[in-house]
Amino acid sequence: MAWDFSTEPEFQQQLDWMAAFVREEIWPLETLDLDQQRLDRALRPLQAQVRERGLWAAHLPPDLGGQGFGQVRLGLMHEILGSSLYAPSAFGNQPPDSGNSELIALAGSEEQKDRWLHPLLAGEMRSAFSMTEPGVAGADPTTLQTRASLDEATGEWVVDGHKWFSTNASVADFLIVMAVTDPDARPHQRASMLIVPADAPGVTIVRDVPTMEHADERFGRLGGHAEILYEDVRVPAENLLGGRGAGFPLAQARLVPGRIHHCMRWLGVARRAFDMLCERATYRVAHGSVLAEKQTVQNWIADSAAQMQAARLMTLHAAWKIDTQGPAAARTDVSLIKFYGAQVLHDVVDRALQIHGSLGYSTDMPLEAMYRFARGARLYDGPDEVHRQSVARQILRGYEPPPGDVPSEHVPTRRVAARERFAELLEVVTSND
Ligand SMILES: Cc1cc2nc3c(=O)[nH]c(=O)nc-3n(C[C@H](O)[C@H](O)[C@H](O)COP(=O)(O)OP(=O)(O)OC[C@H]3O[C@@H](n4cnc5c(N)ncnc54)[C@H](O)[C@@H]3O)c2cc1C
């Protein structure tokens, strides 16, 4: 029976190298508040080291210049990279480029790979995924209103719509746009994905929407969430990604592994917050003892450790399922970790912030930024409620109403059945009395 939680020694060495590299070379950059240009310059020599080490763009198969790690090894890697917002960029697998490159690798034509994927992997291009719209529920993408219609005369797709929260769109070279191409088809067959160059006429990046993560949003920064107008935007027919009407299956193919990456990155953030929580407990004295001696703080530490361990095992198990049985088999597991992982991230960061008091609330510690970051995790890639609903529906498929609506475990009913079944035994016992 195979049941193995160990990591191959060679890969563990790589993980150890990554952990030291991220901590020593990337964490210090966080304190400098570099603009995008300077940050790119600072990251370039680090990216060269990552390439030399054979860890660049590890999410893709080797024939596309990646390492073909599979989700479990990628997960372990993302746990380390997640500790810093800059680390994924140093390793060539920052979202949303990582998910978009997986998407083009999966569904793109050879020409699309040459034109968009290879430059994306080489770090010469950036991309965004443009699905959510301000006017309809992003949680239910069957309501999308952005339209793409085929102009038979020119053979071009014409895109019209209004999107927002397209992460990185204001610095992107191209956008993967989800649009309705077949309004009369069944809900999950109506939409398609199109590659739209960011400088195509009719694309207007209106603004980067200020958020609780970046309230002082400046236009054109990595990590910004853009509002975009698509007005009579024309792209050639060959910019359709995957088949016509394949938008929903493609979105699932992109989001299922992407959620593993998110959850493991969140564990990296949670771990960093947990270390701060424990460190603070060792020296801060209040009411006659260090905080480590207060039972509430001990509960926080124990609860955080338990939650992180649970989330880690659940996420790696879901990753293993994708590796061994494919993304479709892991859908429920991935929904489980999406809402549970986001909760764990929030809880651990919240406790770490709390134990630091006013210092935790200040920008002298990274905790307030982590707290704001953690809140978004409950929304993007599907809000908590939708994942809970999906898990519950899946689980409930294994249940049906009991005969006569009497609960299967109803003791008096079971007793009647048991008395019949064991009548002989009961008879003997009674006669021996
Ligand atoms: C930081 C961040 C980055 C993002 N990046 C991208 C991106 O790159 N590209 C992109 O296209 N989008 C992106 N999004 C958008 C994100 O995917 C949507 O916000 C999300 O899908 C929810 O859609 P909505 O905001 O329209 O909320 P709505 O769909 O209006 O939902 C609002 C609330 O309604 C409730 N709700 C919805 N459905 C149910 C239900 N079935 N049962 C119970 N309650 C329910 C939930 O509480 C939900 O939070 C990003 C969002 C954030 C916060």
Side-chain angles (χ1 to χ4, degrees):
M1 177 181 137
W3 186 256
D4 190 352
F5 293 93
S6 59
T7 310
E8 302 141 24
E10 306 78 53
F11 192 65
Q12 187 57 52
Q13 275 179 8
Q14 290 281 48
L15 292 173
D16 294 343
W17 180 85
M18 284 183 243
F21 181 77
V22 168
R23 199 181 178 108
E24 284 157 27
E25 306 295 334
I26 300 180
W27 286 18
L29 291 174
E30 296 167 353
T31 61
L32 298 179
D33 194 23
L34 297 175
D35 61 27
Q36 195 56 54
Q37 219 179 355
R38 287 203 175 92
L39 179 62
D40 288 345
R41 241 175 67 195
L43 287 177
R44 237 168 268 141
L46 304 182
Q47 290 166 335
Q49 286 189 58
V50 168
R51 283 178 207 271
E52 266 172 42
R53 193 85 197 179
L55 292 168
W56 180 257
H59 55 294
L60 287 175
D63 55 317
L64 291 170
Q67 311 304 321
F69 273 4
Q71 297 303 328
V72 171
R73 284 193 287 174
L74 261 185
L76 293 168
M77 181 174 175
H78 278 121
E79 184 179 19
I80 293 166
L81 304 193
S83 69
S84 172
L85 277 183
Y86 297 156
S89 297
F91 283 74
N93 59 23
Q94 67 287 353
D97 291 339
S98 51
N100 291 340
S101 58
E102 279 174 333
L103 201 51
I104 305 176
L106 176 79
S109 63
E110 286 313 309
E111 199 198 339
Q112 286 170 342
K113 286 179 191 163
D114 283 345
R115 172 117 191 249
W116 310 106
L117 177 59
H118 296 305
L120 194 61
L121 291 178
E124 293 157 9
M125 276 192 178
R126 291 198 168 111
S127 65
F129 185 67
S130 197
M131 181 154 100
T132 306
E133 301 176 3
V136 291
D140 177 8
T142 60
T143 61
L144 286 182
Q145 289 183 337
T146 296
R147 291 288 163 95
S149 43
L150 196 55
D151 181 339
E152 301 289 350
T154 61
E156 292 169 318
W157 287 100
V158 186
V159 185
D160 282 285
H162 185 186
K163 301 279 188 185
W164 81 336
F165 272 81
S166 300
T167 304
N168 282 1
S170 64
V171 292
D173 298 279
F174 68 92
L175 314 151
I176 297 183
V177 181
M178 180 97 151
V180 174
T181 46
D182 300 88
D184 300 327
R186 291 161 64 161
H188 288 94
Q189 292 165 359
R190 280 179 202 153
S192 307
M193 287 191 190
L194 291 148
I195 301 177
V196 176
D199 60 1
V203 175
T204 309
I205 315 275
V206 180
R207 58 173 180 153
D208 274 333
V209 182
T211 61
M212 71 183 274
E213 200 183 347
H214 304 291
D216 60 337
E217 192 61 77
R218 279 174 277 159
F219 187 78
R221 249 195 328 196
L222 267 190
H225 309 295
E227 179 174 354
I228 311 175
L229 286 174
Y230 298 89
E231 292 167 304
D232 204 18
V233 179
R234 290 178 169 264
V235 293
E238 57 267 23
N239 282 29
L240 184 72
L241 185 60
R244 183 170 174 156
F248 280 94
L250 282 181
Q252 277 310 320
R254 180 186 186 278
L255 290 171
V256 169
R259 289 174 183 137
I260 302 267
H261 308 172
H262 277 315
C263 290
M264 290 306 286
R265 287 192 202 106
W266 297 340
L267 282 166
V269 179
R271 178 74 219 186
R272 202 168 159 184
F274 181 74
D275 288 342
M276 288 184 247
L277 161 61
C278 295
E279 184 185 73
R280 173 81 165 185
T282 62
Y283 67 86
R284 190 68 165 182
V285 175
H287 299 106
S289 70
V290 285
L291 294 177
E293 287 176 22
K294 316 287 181 199
Q295 195 168 30
T296 296
V297 172
Q298 292 166 351
N299 287 345
W300 286 346
I301 292 170
D303 289 348
S304 300
Q307 281 180 283
M308 289 192 300
Q309 175 77 334
R312 188 171 192 271
L313 290 174
M314 284 162 75
T315 309
L316 290 173
H317 177 257
W320 170 83
K321 227 171 173 178
I322 295 181
D323 283 347
T324 53
Q325 298 161 45
R331 261 182 87 167
T332 302
D333 303 78
V334 168
S335 277
L336 269 181
I337 57 156
K338 171 64 183 51
F339 74 81
Y340 186 69
Q343 186 66 51
V344 172
L345 169 68
H346 171 272
D347 291 355
V348 178
V349 171
D350 185 50
R351 292 171 191 136
L353 193 153
Q354 185 74 7
I355 200 175
H356 283 82
S358 45
L359 177 62
Y361 192 69
S362 78
T363 56
D364 285 358
M365 293 295 286
L367 288 162
E368 60 81 37
M370 288 179 173
Y371 187 79
R372 288 180 285 114
F373 167 78
R375 192 60 186 81
R378 293 186 51 205
L379 294 167
Y380 56 78
D381 278 12
D384 288 358
E385 295 78 6
V386 173
H387 286 291
R388 284 196 165 94
Q389 174 177 293
S390 158
V391 166
R393 276 190 183 153
Q394 193 61 36
I395 290 173
L396 285 171
R397 281 194 195 137
Y399 292 84
E400 56 185 25
D405 288 352
V406 178
S408 307
E409 293 277 7
H410 187 240
V411 175
T413 310
R414 287 168 57 215
R415 189 177 291 126
V416 171
R419 279 199 175 127
E420 267 175 40
R421 181 166 166 197
F422 296 108
E424 202 177 314
L425 171 82
L426 293 172
E427 188 69 27
V428 173
V429 172
T430 312
S431 57
N432 281 349
D433 278 348

